Amino acid sequence: MALERHPPPLIMVAPTGARKGKGDHPRLPLSIQEIRDETVACASAGADALHLHVRDQTGRHSLDPGRYKEAIAEVHDALPDFPIQITTESAGVFDVEQQLTCLRDLRPKAASISIREVARDAALAARIYGTCSDNGTSVQHILYDLDDWTQLLAWQENGVVKADQADVIFVLGRYAPPTAAKPSDLDSLTHLFQQLPGRVMICAFGASEHDVLCAASAYGADLRVGFENNIYTEDGERAESNATNVAALKAALVFRTQGLLQ
């Protein structure tokens, strides 16, 4: 597949995630105030949108609509027009009914939904996508492998997934067992990019995150960066913050673009 020139990718920052804690990185934003402050810093560094996780009072992953509303309000107090996408990730804690309840009660503008997680209950999966359609919630499907892609195609064909619910994010590498992504992981996906009617985003685990994302940008993909997937610099050192990693990715994209144009 020949590389083409594409417009700059949308950069979404995922500063928190569901699993890491302060022991992994002292500047991982967990409280709502920390998430607000880090989002402001990331926006200044070049991020275009926020992928939002919230934690409960003990620091554990939460899908509580009240916590989400509070966090969204805080971010929008500082950045009124900044796009926010919530996660419905189960993280081995929540069932499909609880994911549906979050979407139904919160009515977010945008949400990421794991195909394999909601496939645990096919009947409720149909209700999840119907609820998002009814509430005007933009859906981004999380795909971990080509089996997830096959399931998405089947749901699109039988109407479980609505026609306008076409955006996807491919996750490269793994949190557990720890598996670092590499640019060659894109080789099995790039032929799909032209087949997808919606926007394609890539996120990548491990210190090669920026190399993978820069390679993905050459195919026109949007990018997600942040401590949810990677807390290291390209040199393998622990990054200073989410914002510094956003700035480093922006610089790498500019450098790559200049190199392609020369």
Side-chain angles (χ1 to χ4, degrees):
M1 178 179 177
L3 296 183
E4 301 176 1
R5 290 179 61 181
H6 296 279
L10 180 146
I11 297 177
M12 178 177 285
V13 64
T16 303
R19 295 172 173 83
K20 294 185 178 79
K22 296 290 189 181
D24 298 290
H25 198 296
R27 292 191 61 179
L28 184 83
L30 297 182
S31 72
I32 288 174
Q33 185 63 51
E34 288 173 337
I35 291 169
R36 168 194 163 123
D37 292 346
E38 191 63 22
T39 302
V40 170
C42 288
S44 296
D48 302 302
L50 169 66
H51 174 71
L52 176 63
H53 286 253
V54 292
R55 302 294 182 92
D56 65 16
Q57 295 292 350
T58 68
R60 295 186 302 177
H61 173 54
S62 175
L63 294 183
D64 178 65
R67 296 287 289 178
Y68 266 133
K69 289 177 182 177
E70 185 179 354
I72 291 169
E74 279 293 319
V75 172
H76 278 164
D77 179 64
L79 301 168
D81 300 318
F82 201 68
I84 298 175
Q85 174 200 75
I86 71 149
T87 186
T88 61
E89 183 179 357
S90 72
V93 177
F94 300 105
D95 59 26
V96 184
E97 181 69 50
Q98 290 168 304
Q99 292 172 304
L100 172 60
T101 297
C102 175
L103 289 164
R104 184 192 63 220
D105 294 352
L106 182 59
R107 301 169 66 95
K109 290 186 176 181
S112 64
I113 297 174
S114 166
I115 288 284
R116 64 176 54 179
E117 286 185 354
V118 298
R120 294 175 295 169
D121 191 320
L124 286 181
R127 288 178 58 191
I128 279 177
Y129 292 115
T131 295
C132 288
S133 181
D134 291 343
N135 291 343
T137 298
S138 175
V139 171
Q140 183 188 62
H141 307 282
I142 304 172
L143 307 178
Y144 292 97
D145 56 30
L146 294 181
D147 288 340
D148 291 345
W149 162 247
T150 300
Q151 179 66 77
L152 174 59
L153 290 179
W155 278 349
Q156 288 173 331
E157 185 161 341
N158 66 22
V160 169
V161 170
K162 312 308 177 187
D164 61 347
Q165 295 172 338
D167 294 349
V168 302
I169 179 169
F170 287 103
V171 180
L172 303 183
R174 293 290 181 273
Y175 179 80
T179 305
K182 52 191 182 299
S184 61
D185 292 340
L186 291 163
D187 293 347
S188 63
L189 302 178
T190 51
H191 71 286
L192 301 177
F193 286 13
Q194 301 301 318
Q195 303 177 34
L196 292 165
R199 300 187 72 152
V200 178
M201 184 174 283
I202 298 292
C203 69
F205 283 91
S208 295
E209 176 189 42
H210 292 184
D211 285 341
V212 175
L213 296 183
C214 285
S217 73
Y219 293 99
D222 293 326
L223 314 174
R224 198 182 82 185
V225 62
F227 280 4
E228 175 171 356
N229 298 110
N230 172 49
I231 61 173
Y232 298 102
T233 68
E234 291 180 309
D235 297 328
E237 301 294 326
R238 195 163 65 177
E240 180 181 339
S241 68
N242 279 283
T244 58
N245 265 5
V246 169
L249 175 60
K250 290 282 288 189
L253 289 168
V254 170
F255 180 81
R256 182 185 181 90
T257 299
Q258 290 175 341
L260 290 173
L261 293 178
Q262 290 176 354

